[in-house]
Amino acid sequence: MIFSLKLWAEDFSGAVQEKLLLPFAEIRTSQDFELEEMNYNWGTVIFTPKNFKNFPCQFKAGNLTPGGGISKLNNPALSSTITPFSTAKTDVSIITAGLPGISNYSKPVSYFAEIGYINRKKVFSESKINCFYNPQTDFPVFSGSQTFSIYKNCSVTTALTAGCFTYKENTFNSWFTTTDYYFHKGKHFCMNPQIFLEVPHFKTLFSAATYEDPYGEVFATYKTENKLSLGRYTLNLSLFLNEEENLLSANESLIKDTFQTKIGVQANYPVGKKRPVFLKTGFNAYSDLRLNQNNFKEHKFKLAAGAKISSLLYNFAFTGLANFTCDSSQRTFQTDFDSASFLFSNNWHFTKIVPGITAGISFIPENHYQSLTTTEKIGLSAVFCKNPKVTASSSFSFTQKDGVSTKQTANTSLTSSWKLKHLSLTGRINLRF
């Protein structure tokens, strides 16, 4: 079977995952097989039963995926991905550890522990302390948070993620740069303090990711994420600032000197009287301005707009995205149009099946508009809402350059999930042509 698939499929992969859920634990194992190799991962979590809801504790082990506070230390900047309906993530980020999924087999074995306290009636309403340890990095990472209930629907949360992270030797150096990149391998201290305020209709988060560089100096980045909700309207504003060029982050990536902004507006209107139908419109803008003007720099801009109509039966959406690059030096300032894309999607919600369709087109000009690349994509999906639950999807992509076809791809996947009382089985097959 696998040999015959290899003859007409460019890529074939499949996976099976087993989950055993107990009153105080969950155990997962997954096996992924491709045409020439097979991978395996596992994970388990032990947690306190529901009777100990005021003192929740958990311990995880296996091929865990770290996130939350560690992700913010790895990359504190704003995400450059925008959609018309994306909103600011106004919440503190302490360390999280996800159990292995059915599609990720690259994580090493690691460990996570967390203890907490919850009592909504007290001023100190919620407390958390946790630790993530990966033996390959030599040092554990710690985080904690404390929520204070000031008044009804008003609260303040403080959080901190901190730890020592190793980095490898960097021998890159150039006469044409203003920063010395050479340093020996070692370790440096990184932390990210956060403060979050929530009042009716408004949320704001401020964080200052701080890093020790290989030469012993300490530098900080600053970020604020804000969300204002007034009736049908939502306003989001996020800002990020890093004044130090090529700041070394927790995962050894270099943070550029930049000032980033994200602003978005969404509105939700009820349409019709007989059936509940809602029209949602959105607009988002993103900018990435390089601060060091000693050399030639590029500034990035993105604009996204769209509309969505949703009801109990269907969900229709149309979005558009445009990308721009501004090249600046001491004497010139030129704006180039990078790309544009448009996407249509719709889902119909029936009792036993949810079919869906997506269609999109993108335009990428090159060589100052002398050449144009276009890509058309179409996707079909169906979800059968039974036990076992089956999800089938196919996508097709067609690319042309100056009107000449250059690439065609097709992807098909089938996922099935079967749930018993304490056992869940999931299987997945992917084909790429």
Side-chain angles (χ1 to χ4, degrees), residues 290-343:
R290 297 295 301 274
L291 300 180
N292 190 347
Q293 296 298 319
N294 295 329
N295 300 312
F296 186 76
K297 296 297 179 183
E298 289 186 348
H299 311 287
K300 300 292 184 179
F301 297 90
K302 290 186 177 183
L303 300 175
K308 180 189 297 184
I309 298 178
S310 59
S311 71
L312 296 177
L313 182 60
Y314 58 88
N315 187 358
F316 166 82
F318 177 81
T319 63
L321 176 65
N323 299 284
F324 302 88
T325 298
C326 291
D327 298 334
S328 65
S329 63
Q330 296 180 355
R331 297 182 179 180
T332 63
F333 188 87
Q334 181 179 357
T335 301
D336 290 330
F337 174 69
D338 289 343
S339 64
S341 60
F342 304 92
L343 179 67

Side-chain angles (χ1 to χ4, degrees), residues 119-126 146-150 156:
N119 192 336
R120 306 297 183 187
K121 299 180 181 180
K122 302 293 184 180
V123 175
F124 299 90
S125 58
E126 184 174 355
Q146 176 63 59
T147 300
F148 305 90
S149 297
I150 302 176
V156 175

Side-chain angles (χ1 to χ4, degrees), residues 69-88:
I70 294 181
S71 298
K72 297 300 181 182
L73 279 177
N74 292 339
N75 184 15
L78 300 178
S79 171
S80 61
T81 302
I82 62 172
T83 66
F85 314 110
S86 59
T87 60

Side-chain angles (χ1 to χ4, degrees), residues 5-301:
L5 285 172
K6 188 176 181 180
L7 295 179
W8 54 275
E10 182 180 346
D11 185 23
F12 169 81
S13 64
V16 178
Q17 183 177 78
E18 304 83 21
K19 298 181 184 178
L20 178 61
L21 182 60
L22 303 175
F24 57 89
E26 180 180 347
I27 302 173
R28 295 188 188 183
T29 58
S30 300
Q31 302 82 37
D32 175 84
F33 53 91
E34 299 182 3
L35 290 177
E36 298 179 353
E37 62 179 343
M38 182 173 181
N39 300 306
Y40 173 83
N41 65 20
W42 66 276
T44 182
V45 55
I46 302 174
F47 47 83
T48 51
K50 296 181 180 180
N51 296 336
F52 296 86
K53 60 181 180 179
N54 290 339
F55 297 93
C57 301
Q58 59 177 322
F59 173 78
K60 296 181 180 181
N63 303 103
L64 307 178
T65 301
I70 294 181
S71 298
K72 297 300 181 182
L73 279 177
N74 292 339
N75 184 15
L78 300 178
S79 171
S80 61
T81 302
I82 62 172
T83 66
F85 314 110
S86 59
T87 60
K89 187 183 180 303
T90 51
D91 199 2
V92 295
S93 297
I94 61 174
I95 299 174
T96 60
L99 292 178
I102 197 173
S103 59
N104 192 343
Y105 294 83
S106 60
K107 302 300 180 182
V109 175
S110 53
Y111 308 92
F112 174 82
E114 180 179 86
I115 59 175
Y117 167 77
I118 299 177
N119 192 336
R120 306 297 183 187
K121 299 180 181 180
K122 302 293 184 180
V123 175
F124 299 90
S125 58
E126 184 174 355
S127 306
K128 287 185 179 180
I129 299 176
N130 56 35
C131 173
F132 180 85
Y133 177 60
N134 178 5
Q136 296 184 1
T137 59
D138 297 330
F139 303 99
V141 186
F142 298 89
S143 72
S145 66
Q146 176 63 59
T147 300
F148 305 90
S149 297
I150 302 176
Y151 190 64
K152 185 178 181 180
N153 297 327
C154 299
S155 64
V156 175
T157 302
T158 60
L160 176 67
T161 302
C164 282
F165 297 84
T166 58
Y167 55 84
K168 299 178 182 178
E169 183 178 23
N170 187 355
T171 58
F172 176 75
N173 197 4
S174 173
W175 292 103
F176 302 101
T177 60
T178 58
T179 303
D180 186 9
Y181 290 89
Y182 175 79
F183 50 81
H184 293 286
K185 66 177 181 179
K187 61 180 184 294
H188 64 147
F189 180 74
C190 307
M191 68 175 182
N192 185 24
Q194 305 169 70
I195 184 169
F196 170 66
L197 172 65
E198 181 178 9
V199 297
H201 309 295
F202 181 69
K203 298 178 181 180
T204 180
L205 172 69
F206 175 79
S207 59
T210 306
Y211 305 91
E212 178 187 15
D213 74 357
Y215 308 104
E217 297 185 79
V218 178
F219 300 95
T221 66
Y222 307 97
K223 180 167 64 175
T224 177
E225 297 169 284
N226 307 274
K227 180 178 180 180
L228 177 64
S229 302
L230 296 174
R232 302 172 180 172
Y233 304 96
T234 303
L235 173 65
N236 303 275
L237 176 62
S238 301
L239 306 172
F240 174 80
L241 174 64
N242 174 35
E243 298 180 300
E244 182 65 18
E245 186 177 11
N246 294 315
L247 186 61
L248 190 66
S249 73
N251 65 344
E252 301 184 66
S253 61
L254 297 177
I255 308 172
K256 298 179 179 180
D257 54 305
T258 181
F259 176 65
Q260 296 177 328
T261 61
K262 253 186 181 183
I263 184 169
V265 180
Q266 291 85 33
N268 198 10
Y269 302 94
V271 180
K273 296 181 180 180
K274 295 182 179 180
R275 295 181 178 180
V277 179
F278 295 92
L279 170 64
K280 187 174 183 179
T281 59
F283 172 81
N284 247 306
Y286 167 84
S287 67
D288 187 347
L289 306 178
R290 297 295 301 274
L291 300 180
N292 190 347
Q293 296 298 319
N294 295 329
N295 300 312
F296 186 76
K297 296 297 179 183
E298 289 186 348
H299 311 287
K300 300 292 184 179
F301 297 90

